[in-house]
Every structure is written in C-alpha cells, then in structure tokens.
C-alpha cells in the first residue's frame, strides 16, 4: 500500500513540535506515489527536479521519511520488500535435497547470514525496476519474479566466488568472522562453493530465457579467467594497468554488468538499451573494485572485516601501487617478485600512500562512475533511476 505525504514535522522556537499541514502536488506511478514538493523558493537543480518522493508502508524507515521532505529513499530501501527475505529463500534453495544433518548444508549457508553488503542484487533489481517503468511494464508481476531470481543468482555466484577466493588466499576472516575454510578444511570448502554454483544453475533454468541464461553463464567463465589472471604478473610495465583493469572486470564488474543486462533484457529492452544496462553495471563494478583496492590502504582491519594491506601480502599490485611506479621505479622489481622479500610490503605501502596513488585511484573510480551515470540518460525519470545514480555516490564514498 502506498501513502501520499501530507504533513511535515517542524520544531518551533518554543522547542515544541507542531504538525504543519502542507499541500503537495502528486503524480501517480505504478510502483509508488511520486510527490513534487511545492517550494516557494524555487531554487532547484536539474537533479533535484527528478527527486520525486516515493513512500511505501512496507517498512518503518519509509514511514519515517514522510516527515522529512528532502528525503530520497536509497536503492536498498526501495527494494526492501523485494529482498527482505532473500537470504531465507537462499537457505531454502540450498537445503533442498540435502539431509537434515548434512554438514554441506551448514557450510553452504555460512556466508548467507545477512551481514554482507548485498550490493549486487540491489543493483541488478533496481536497474530492472527502472527498465520496467521505462517500458511501461511496472505492473508485470511475473517479470518482476524473474528479475528477482536474477538478483538472487547474482548474490549466490558472488558468495561462491568468495569461498573460492578465501581458499586460494588462505584467508582467516571474512566479514568479521572466521572464514569458511578456517572453520572447515579447504577441500570441503571447495565442494561447498561448487554446490552453491550448482544450485545457481538450477535457479538459472527457471528464468526460461535463453539470452539471460547465456549472459549469466558468461559471469562464471569470466570469474575463472580473472582468477587465472591474478596468478600471473605482466613483465611489461606498460601492460600492467590494462591487465589490472581487465582482471577487475572479470572478477568483479562482470557479475554486475551481466546481471544488469539480464534484467534489462527481461524488461524488453532494445539492443541499445540492453547495452547501456551492461555499461552501467560494468563501470559501476570497476569503480567498486577500485575503491575496494584503495580502502586496503586507508581503512583499518576492523572496518574492512579482513586484514588491511591484504592485497600486498598476497603479492597483488593494485591501482594505488601501479600509479606509484612512475615515482618509485624500484616498485617494478617488487611487483615481479610479488612483494616476497622482507620489507617489500611495507615499502610498497609507503610508496602508494606518499605518491598520490590513492588519490589517482579515487579519481579513476569517479570517472567510471560518471560513465555509469551517463548510461542511464535515456531512461525515463523514476525513483529507481535516481537510486541508481545515487548508488554511484555510495560506491565512491564507502569506507568498507
């Protein structure tokens, strides 16, 4: 059920609250009620003109938004009804056909505890809703069910990749708790990741769309290629940065790009619109990875939920270090030996920080976010389109 904003709570000089009733002009949307606030000042930017208010009774957070006229729901808030019980459903899928006391069941559910950012399903489903409204299919319930399935699959593929990452990296923690491979052994954890992927394959078949199946299957091959690329180092300095970006796409951005494109295809997008959906996910995903890599230098282990400077300790040269090479050529030898000598990690860390490599990485992330935002230009204005734009800001400004 949807409610039209009709009151605004303000505090008086006497420090008592009074309710001031105001008139709002409203525009009905299929997925909500858009409210244009009638401000007498009239000083609005082009972006603010798109910010119509969407308020739902699905959650207390949205009801509280009714007393604040400047409030814009986040993508997560807009999708709370869609994704609120996502992890419970994932648990049910993973438990299906497994014995009640199966250890595999416990392992497979271990990372699906609701403590992750769940940004991938939020991105793909928010984009799907934006395309639904763009193509006048906001009331298509069966369409939304399939798009939600794509979002769930994206989270499951991501989580399976985390398990395999932790095994390869001998990680001890993940999201602030012991990693799956440290609780169980690496062999069992490998089978666990494989089982999650196998479950994804069954869910994928339920989309009943050949193009969507091909798109999401590409994610798996990209992930494997990304892992293999990470095991190698380019000897030529001129090739390293592009190789790093290609690896970032394969390991991170591919999942966002193809899940966005899949939901656009389900919404009936044209070829150009489908490509724009891919570009949004691709560039937002690369920006996400760039920020993730710079956080490895500026955030504490407590914030990250994993050890700081973890990439250097694993022998990986990410953007902040690659940018620093021009000022500190000695980094070339360290990169080739994967920071294996005593003092390499500490020296590379210092070079990245003092060279301005972190700032350059953030600038590059912003450039990719700008491209992601531009790819949305052809969509009709909606709260979901605005939320997708705001997601770019969230990615750039996140601290963990």
């Amino acid at each position: 059920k949807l409610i039209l904003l009709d009151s605004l709570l303000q505090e008086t000089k006497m420090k008592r609250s009074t309710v001031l009733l105001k008139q709002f002009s409203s525009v009905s949307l299929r997925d909500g009620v858009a409210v244009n606030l009638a401000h007498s000042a009239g000083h609005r930017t082009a972006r603010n003109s798109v910010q119509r208010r969407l308020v739902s009774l699905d959650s207390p957070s949205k009801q509280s938004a009714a007393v604040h006229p400047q409030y814009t729901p986040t993508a997560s808030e807009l999708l709370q009804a869609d994704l609120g019980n996502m992890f419970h459903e994932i648990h049910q899928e993973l438990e299906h056909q497994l014995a009640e006391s199966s250890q595999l069941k416990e392992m497979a559910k271990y990372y699906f505890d609701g403590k992750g950012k769940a940004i991938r399903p939020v991105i793909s489903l928010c984009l799907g809703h934006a395309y639904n409204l763009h193509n006048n299919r906001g009331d298509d319930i069966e369409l939304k069910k399939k798009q939600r399935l794509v979002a769930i699959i994206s989270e499951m593929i991501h989580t399976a990749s985390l398990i395999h990452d932790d095994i390869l990296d001998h990680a001890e923690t993940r999201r602030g708790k012991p990693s799956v491979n440290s609780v169980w052994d690496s062999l069992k954890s490998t089978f666990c990741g494989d089982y999650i992927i196998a479950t994804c394959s069954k869910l994928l078949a339920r989309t009943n769309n050949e193009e969507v199946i091909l798109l999401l299957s590409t994610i798996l091959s990209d992930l494997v290629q990304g892992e293999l690329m990470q095991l190698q180092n380019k000897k030529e300095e001129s090739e390293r940065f592009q190789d790093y970006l290609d690896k970032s796409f394969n390991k991170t951005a591919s999942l966002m790009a193809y899940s966005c494109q899949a939901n656009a295809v389900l919404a009936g997008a044209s070829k150009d619109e489908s490509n724009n959906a891919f570009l949004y996910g691709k560039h937002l995903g690369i920006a996400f990875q760039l920020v993730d890599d710079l956080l490895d230098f500026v955030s504490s282990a407590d914030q990250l939920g994993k050890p700081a400077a973890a990439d250097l300790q694993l022998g990986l040269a990410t953007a902040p270090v690659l940018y620093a090479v021009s000022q500190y050529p000695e980094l070339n030898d360290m990169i080739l030996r994967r920071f294996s000598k005593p003092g390499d990690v500490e020296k590379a860390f210092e070079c990245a920080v003092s060279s301005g490599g972190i700032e350059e990485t953030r600038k590059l992330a912003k450039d990719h976010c700008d491209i992601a935002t531009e790819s949305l230009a052809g969509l009709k204005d909606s709260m979901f389109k605005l939320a997708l734009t705001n997601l770019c800001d969230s990615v750039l400004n996140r601290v963990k």
Side-chain angles (χ1 to χ4, degrees):
K1 294 181 181 179
L2 298 166
I3 185 171
L4 181 64
L5 299 176
D6 65 354
S7 65
L8 176 65
L9 186 64
Q10 291 188 343
E11 188 168 355
T12 66
K13 293 181 180 179
M14 301 298 294
K15 294 184 179 180
R16 290 187 301 176
S17 296
T18 60
V19 179
L20 303 178
L21 298 177
K22 289 191 174 183
Q23 293 289 338
F24 296 105
S25 61
S26 63
V27 179
S28 178
L29 291 178
R30 283 184 171 85
D31 275 15
V33 177
V35 178
N36 295 324
L37 300 177
H39 292 294
S40 59
H43 297 292
R44 295 191 177 190
T45 63
R47 181 174 178 174
N48 287 338
S49 69
V50 183
Q51 294 182 350
R52 303 179 178 93
R53 304 293 170 250
L54 180 72
V55 180
S56 169
L57 288 175
D58 289 332
S59 68
S61 64
K62 292 178 184 178
Q63 294 181 49
S64 64
V67 300
H68 200 312
Q70 298 299 320
Y71 183 79
T72 301
T74 65
S76 296
E77 289 169 337
L78 288 174
L79 299 169
Q80 188 173 37
D82 296 280
L83 298 177
N85 63 342
M86 176 181 69
F87 290 107
H88 175 69
E89 291 185 31
I90 291 175
H91 287 183
Q92 288 181 320
E93 294 294 342
L94 293 171
E95 290 171 358
H96 187 58
Q97 295 182 335
L98 287 180
E100 184 65 30
S101 59
S102 170
Q103 187 180 64
L104 179 57
K105 179 171 68 176
E106 184 182 359
M107 294 173 64
K109 292 162 54 178
Y110 186 67
Y111 280 163
F112 294 107
D113 55 6
K115 294 182 180 178
K117 291 180 281 290
I119 190 171
R120 289 153 188 85
V122 167
I123 291 170
S124 63
L125 196 54
C126 189
L127 184 133
H129 281 311
Y131 270 77
N132 293 347
L133 292 173
H134 179 73
N135 291 321
N136 300 315
R137 297 185 65 184
D139 287 333
D140 193 329
I141 303 301
E142 290 304 311
L143 167 60
K144 291 180 180 180
K145 286 181 179 179
K146 288 185 177 181
Q147 290 174 328
R148 187 173 181 276
L149 195 57
V150 169
I152 289 175
I153 291 169
S154 71
E155 182 67 9
M156 294 181 73
I157 292 176
H158 169 62
T159 301
S161 73
L162 294 183
I163 293 173
H164 288 149
D165 276 350
D166 288 347
I167 295 166
L168 291 171
D169 299 341
H170 305 288
E172 296 180 355
T173 60
R174 168 71 66 179
R175 295 172 180 167
K177 69 179 185 180
S179 61
V180 65
N181 52 292
S182 64
V183 176
W184 295 276
D185 61 59
S186 293
L187 182 59
K188 289 180 179 179
S189 298
T190 301
F191 293 142
C192 171
D194 293 345
Y195 174 69
I196 295 173
I197 293 295
T199 304
C200 285
S201 299
K202 292 194 297 182
L203 297 181
L204 189 52
R206 293 183 198 169
T207 64
N208 198 30
N209 186 297
E210 184 178 351
E211 185 175 358
V212 167
I213 292 172
L214 288 172
L215 289 172
L216 296 184
S217 298
T218 305
I219 297 169
L220 299 177
S221 62
D222 285 347
L223 281 170
V224 174
Q225 291 182 65
E227 285 295 345
L228 288 174
M229 291 173 71
Q230 188 162 285
L231 296 175
Q232 304 166 358
N233 266 336
K234 288 287 184 181
K235 292 185 177 181
E236 295 297 325
E237 181 184 343
S238 59
E239 299 177 359
R240 283 189 200 136
F241 207 95
Q242 186 58 52
D243 186 66
Y244 161 77
L245 291 176
D246 291 343
K247 181 193 71 176
S248 296
F249 172 79
N250 286 334
K251 290 201 60 174
T252 302
S254 171
L255 177 53
M256 297 183 185
Y258 286 115
S259 60
C260 283
Q261 188 174 18
N263 273 347
V265 167
L266 288 171
S270 66
K271 185 175 181 180
D272 286 343
E273 289 170 343
S274 168
N275 185 58
N276 283 335
F278 173 87
L279 291 176
Y280 176 82
K282 172 186 176 180
H283 290 286
L284 184 65
I286 292 175
F288 186 92
Q289 186 59 55
L290 287 165
V291 172
D292 201 59
D293 290 342
L294 72 85
L295 287 178
D296 202 38
F297 291 85
V298 300
S299 294
S300 68
D302 288 340
Q303 286 176 306
L304 294 174
K306 58 184 178 180
D311 290 330
L312 288 174
Q313 293 174 33
L314 291 170
L316 304 178
T318 56
V321 172
L322 295 175
Y323 273 123
V325 169
S326 60
Q327 290 187 42
Y328 299 96
E330 62 268 29
L331 284 170
N332 279 310
D333 290 337
M334 297 184 200
I335 291 171
L336 289 175
R337 62 177 179 253
R338 301 179 73 88
F339 311 105
S340 58
K341 286 188 176 181
D344 278 358
V345 169
E346 292 78 10
K347 178 62 177 177
F349 190 98
E350 179 184 335
C351 291
V353 172
S354 61
S355 68
I358 294 172
E359 289 74 17
E360 290 299 317
T361 301
R362 192 177 295 279
K363 288 178 184 176
L364 182 60
K366 184 181 183 306
D367 289 342
H368 281 281
C369 279
D370 289 343
I371 297 173
T373 301
E374 289 169 7
S375 71
L376 301 172
L379 287 177
K380 293 178 182 177
D381 288 341
S382 69
M383 285 302 294
F384 294 104
K385 177 181 176 181
L386 179 60
L388 289 168
T389 300
N390 290 341
L391 270 171
C392 293
D393 293 333
S394 299
V395 165
L396 281 176
N397 296 317
R398 69 190 181 98
V399 295
K400 64 178 180 179

